Amino acid sequence: MKIFKFGGASVKDADSVKNVSMVLQSQGFAKCLLVISAMGKTTNELEKVVELYFKKDNYQTEIEKIKRKHIEIAEGLFPENHAVFAEINLFFDDIDSFLRRNKSPNYDFVYDQVVSCGEMISTKIVSEYLNEIQFTNQWLDARDYVKTDNSYREGTVDWAKTEEFISNLNPEICYVTQGFIGSDDNNFTVTLGREGSDYSAAIFAYCLNAEAMTIWKDVPGVMTGDPRKFNDVALLSNISYEEAIEMAYYGASVIHPKTLQPLQQKDIPFYVKSFVDPTKAGTKVGASDKNQQEESYILKENQELLKISTRDFSFIAEDHMSLIFGHLSKYKIKVSLMQNSAISLALCLEDKFNNLEELNEELQKIFKTEAIKNVSLFTVRNAKMDHIDRFYHEKNVLLEQISKNTLQMVTQ
C-alpha cells in the first residue's frame, strides 16, 4: 500500500478538497490509505473552545462558528440533501454534549476529547466526497487502530496492539482516516502531540509495510530553509533518514520529529511533495547514493532559556542532572539544546504546556536559576565553518554550540 498524508492547508476549503482528488488522480487511486488533518485552522479554533470552557465563558458561540465553516465547505462539495450534513451536525452536537456532561478538571483530557473532533469531521467530509466522485474508499476511525497510553496531548503508542489492529486491514482497498489521534485502554481519545498527523501516517506505513509514504505540502519539498524566514533557499531533492531526523529534531517544521524512525526501521521511502504541483518530484528521504548534505538553516522560535547553577558554587554533578531532568519530564518540557560547565547548566527549552514557571519554582528550592523567555534557537546544518562569521551579524547571542558540521545559537 501507499500512504498519503494531507495536512490542514490541503483541505482548508471546498476547492482544496477537490484538489486532493486531482492529486490522487495524478498518483493513481488504488491500494492507498489517506491520513487527513483537520481543515485549515480548525485545531486552533477548537483549542479556543477548550480555553473558553475552562474560563466558564461562552464556548457555544465558537462551536457554532466552526460548525458553520464546515457546513459551508460541504455546501461546495455536496447536493443539499446529502447525508454528510447530518454527520457534521452530529459531530458538533457531540462536542457540546461532552462539554456539558464533563466532570473532569483535567485540561489535557478535555483538550483531547474536543480538539480531536476536527480530524473526525474533515475525514468524514473528504471520504464522502471521494466516494461521491467514484473514488471508492472506506472511512476508518483511527482510534480503533492506533492504541496509546493515557498521556493526554502527548500519547505514547502501544506498538504491539497498534500493529495487531492495523495489520488486519485489507491491503487491496483504499481507506481514509485521521491523523493526530489514537485511544487509550478505556477508549478515550488521546492525541499524539501537536502536528502529529505526519507521525500517524508513519505509524500506518510501518504497520502495513507500505511501499512508500508521501506527505503533501504547500511547499515544493524539504528546503534548505523555510522560505518565509530565509532568502535564497533551495530544494533538497534527496536526503538520508539521518539528516531528516536531525533537521526535524532541530525544528524543521516541514517534518514532524517522530515521523522518520518507524519508516527508517523498515526502509520505507518517504516523499515530501507539493499538492499545488503534484507532478514535481519533491524530496525523497531514504537510503540513496544521491543524498545531499547542503548547508541548511532552521529557526525554532518561542523557546525559553533556563540557566541553572548550584547555590554554593559546587559542581553540577550527576545527581543534580538526574533531579533536573526528572523535573523536566514531570512538567513535559523538552530540551532543544543543553550546555554545561563545572558549576552551571544552560537549557534551551520548548514549553508547549506552559509549565516553565512551575518548573522554575521547583528548581529554585535547590538551585539558583535565571529564566529568559521568548528566545530563538538558530541551527545551521552542514555549516561551512570557514564562513560562519556571517551568522553572527546583528544577533544577540546568549548561548552557542559548534560541532563538526553544526552551528547552533540561542538568540534574543
Side-chain angles (χ1 to χ4, degrees):
M1 290 186 82
K2 293 177 184 173
I3 310 297
F4 294 143
K5 184 263 174 175
F6 291 91
S10 64
V11 289
K12 65 183 179 183
D13 53 31
D15 286 342
S16 300
V17 174
K18 289 174 184 175
N19 186 63
V20 167
S21 71
M22 301 297 288
V23 171
L24 294 173
Q25 199 165 19
S26 75
Q27 302 299 302
F29 190 71
K31 296 184 182 179
C32 66
L33 182 141
L34 274 56
V35 174
I36 312 280
S37 298
M39 293 176 149
K41 300 294 183 185
T42 302
T43 300
N44 294 353
E45 291 158 359
L46 287 168
E47 285 177 336
K48 188 177 175 186
V49 169
V50 178
E51 285 173 25
L52 291 169
Y53 169 77
F54 275 96
K55 287 176 181 172
K56 300 194 176 351
D57 206 337
N58 179 15
Y59 63 83
Q60 289 93 343
T61 302
E62 194 64 28
I63 292 174
E64 197 57 38
K65 270 193 228 169
I66 305 167
K67 179 168 86 169
R68 184 67 243 155
K69 205 178 286 185
H70 283 80
I71 287 172
E72 283 171 9
I73 292 170
E75 285 171 345
L77 298 170
F78 302 97
E80 63 182 37
N81 60 347
H82 197 280
V84 77
F85 292 101
E87 294 267 14
I88 293 168
N89 282 313
L90 191 59
F91 278 123
F92 283 100
D93 288 346
D94 283 348
I95 296 172
D96 189 50
S97 174
F98 166 76
L99 289 174
R100 279 189 285 106
R101 288 183 290 105
N102 174 61
K103 301 295 181 192
S104 173
N106 184 337
Y107 188 98
D108 293 346
F109 168 77
V110 173
Y111 177 102
D112 279 4
Q113 311 319 302
V114 172
V115 172
S116 58
C117 292
E119 275 69 19
M120 302 300 290
I121 299 160
S122 68
T123 52
K124 184 59 75 170
I125 291 172
V126 172
S127 174
E128 291 285 355
Y129 175 71
L130 293 176
N131 278 323
E132 189 83 359
I133 61 168
Q134 309 307 309
F135 280 11
T136 305
N137 71 89
Q138 186 176 325
W139 180 84
L140 296 181
D141 187 334
R143 297 171 299 185
D144 294 336
Y145 296 88
V146 179
K147 307 307 288 184
T148 71
D149 64 4
N150 62 356
S151 301
Y152 299 109
R153 293 182 72 186
E154 200 78 44
T156 298
V157 174
D158 182 328
W159 282 95
K161 284 183 183 175
T162 298
E163 192 164 11
E164 179 189 342
F165 289 128
I166 291 177
S167 62
N168 289 325
L169 294 174
N170 182 350
E172 299 299 315
I173 65 176
C174 295
Y175 297 97
V176 173
T177 193
Q178 307 78 38
F180 182 52
I181 63 173
S183 68
D184 63 16
D185 287 342
N186 293 313
N187 292 320
F188 287 119
T189 307
V190 180
T191 63
L192 304 178
R194 203 68 160 80
E195 310 296 337
S197 292
D198 292 3
Y199 184 37
S200 295
I203 293 166
F204 279 98
Y206 177 91
C207 295
L208 289 167
N209 296 305
E211 175 189 325
M213 171 177 145
T214 304
I215 291 178
W216 296 94
K217 296 268 189 183
D218 56 359
V219 292
V222 179
M223 313 291 285
T224 53
D226 185 336
R228 294 165 297 185
K229 297 173 183 174
F230 300 100
N231 297 322
D232 303 321
V233 295
L235 177 71
L236 292 164
S237 54
N238 287 272
I239 54 176
S240 66
Y241 291 116
E242 292 81 6
E243 183 65 18
I245 288 168
E246 293 284 356
M247 290 177 73
Y249 176 78
Y250 291 132
S253 59
V254 76
I255 307 168
H256 186 274
K258 291 180 181 175
T259 301
L260 292 145
Q261 284 157 330
L263 302 176
Q264 184 183 24
Q265 281 186 38
K266 291 195 175 178
D267 200 19
I268 297 168
F270 167 48
Y271 297 88
V272 181
K273 299 179 75 172
S274 169
F275 60 74
V276 180
D277 190 351
T279 59
K280 294 274 179 72
T283 300
K284 179 185 177 184
V285 179
S288 170
D289 56 3
K290 297 177 183 176
N291 285 340
Q292 299 159 279
Q293 288 195 315
E294 302 293 330
E295 190 171 80
S296 302
Y297 321 103
I298 303 158
L299 187 64
K300 199 172 186 180
E301 298 173 303
N302 303 314
Q303 302 288 290
E304 321 287 347
L305 182 62
L306 187 63
K307 296 180 178 180
I308 305 166
S309 58
T310 54
R311 291 189 177 278
D312 58 0
F313 297 103
S314 61
F315 294 154
I316 292 273
E318 288 79 3
D319 55 340
H320 295 131
M321 297 282 271
S322 176
L323 180 68
I324 291 164
F325 277 84
H327 286 314
L328 287 166
S329 175
K330 173 184 170 183
Y331 289 109
K332 298 182 180 178
I333 296 174
K334 295 192 174 175
V335 178
S336 301
L337 183 70
M338 64 176 284
Q339 191 174 88
N340 67 298
S341 68
I343 59 171
S344 68
L345 175 67
L347 300 170
C348 180
L349 303 171
E350 185 170 1
D351 181 25
K352 286 198 289 189
F353 301 106
N354 299 313
N355 290 331
L356 183 65
E357 285 188 18
E358 288 179 74
L359 169 71
N360 203 13
E361 283 176 21
E362 194 94 46
L363 292 176
Q364 282 176 344
K365 294 173 185 175
I366 302 170
F367 304 99
K368 284 197 297 185
T369 69
E370 179 190 358
I372 304 171
K373 297 197 169 187
N374 200 24
V375 300
S376 296
L377 175 62
F378 175 52
T379 302
V380 185
R381 286 283 298 162
N382 304 307
K384 297 180 176 70
M385 289 300 177
D386 48 347
H387 293 102
I388 64 170
D389 288 354
R390 69 194 192 278
F391 297 120
Y392 292 85
H393 184 60
E394 293 185 350
K395 286 189 176 75
N396 177 21
V397 179
L398 306 173
L399 185 71
E400 66 177 312
Q401 202 158 283
I402 301 174
S403 64
K404 182 181 176 184
N405 67 348
T406 302
L407 164 67
Q408 291 189 281
M409 55 177 76
V410 177
T411 64
Q412 194 176 34

